[in-house]
Amino acid sequence: MAGEIVLGYDGSAGAKAALPQAVDLAKAFGVPLVLAFAHGANPVGGVGGDLSRKSAEVGQRFLDEGAALVRAADPSVEITSELVNAMPVEALASLAEQSSARMLVVGGNGRGPLIGTLLGSTGYKLLNQTLVPVLVVQPPD
């Protein structure tokens, strides 16, 4: 569905801070909210079948947690979930672009812009890898 809000949700403090913002945006625009979790392995390290399955299981638990939080915050917001087997930045950018998302929302890591730039934060990379507007929400201190 075009125009949805895509929320990268991994259960972190940043993701939990971003969730209410994504819910508010979805409600304000009257569009569905897509909770997304990417569980791809670093291509340098590789991945085995067991690790991939466990990563997907953990991701599904995070998506279930996020969906419960959305329903508690506002039961009127339509929710779907996407469990994607790809690296987070590529998965979120691709999902948002393919669905013509109105906005992509992610939580920050709370490390600040310099550390995030040096270590490669997902939010920073998304700002530079997609044409979909990106909202990065920092967790409270």
Side-chain angles (χ1 to χ4, degrees):
M1 179 178 290
E4 62 207 14
I5 303 297
V6 175
L7 170 64
Y9 190 83
D10 63 2
S12 66
K16 288 179 180 177
L19 187 138
Q21 299 298 319
V23 169
D24 288 349
L25 287 165
K27 185 168 183 170
F29 289 119
V31 297
L33 175 61
V34 178
L35 298 173
F37 181 89
H39 64 94
N42 186 318
V44 174
V47 64
D50 289 343
L51 179 58
S52 180
R53 281 188 294 283
K54 285 296 180 189
S55 296
E57 288 173 15
V58 168
Q60 189 58 58
R61 283 198 300 272
F62 284 136
L63 292 174
D64 292 344
E65 170 191 279
L69 291 170
V70 171
R71 283 191 290 279
D74 193 327
S76 69
V77 173
E78 180 184 337
I79 313 163
T80 60
S81 296
E82 293 287 339
L83 185 62
V84 184
N85 187 5
M87 295 300 289
V89 173
E90 291 77 13
L92 293 171
S94 178
L95 180 62
E97 289 168 3
Q98 289 175 2
S99 66
S100 299
R102 182 176 296 267
M103 185 173 289
L104 179 53
V105 181
V106 294
N109 55 26
R111 296 185 197 140
L114 180 59
I115 299 297
T117 301
L118 293 174
L119 297 178
S121 76
T122 298
Y124 179 79
K125 289 179 183 177
L126 284 168
L127 289 169
N128 293 289
Q129 291 190 23
T130 183
L131 296 176
V132 175
V134 177
L135 172 63
V136 180
V137 180
Q138 293 296 338
D141 291 333

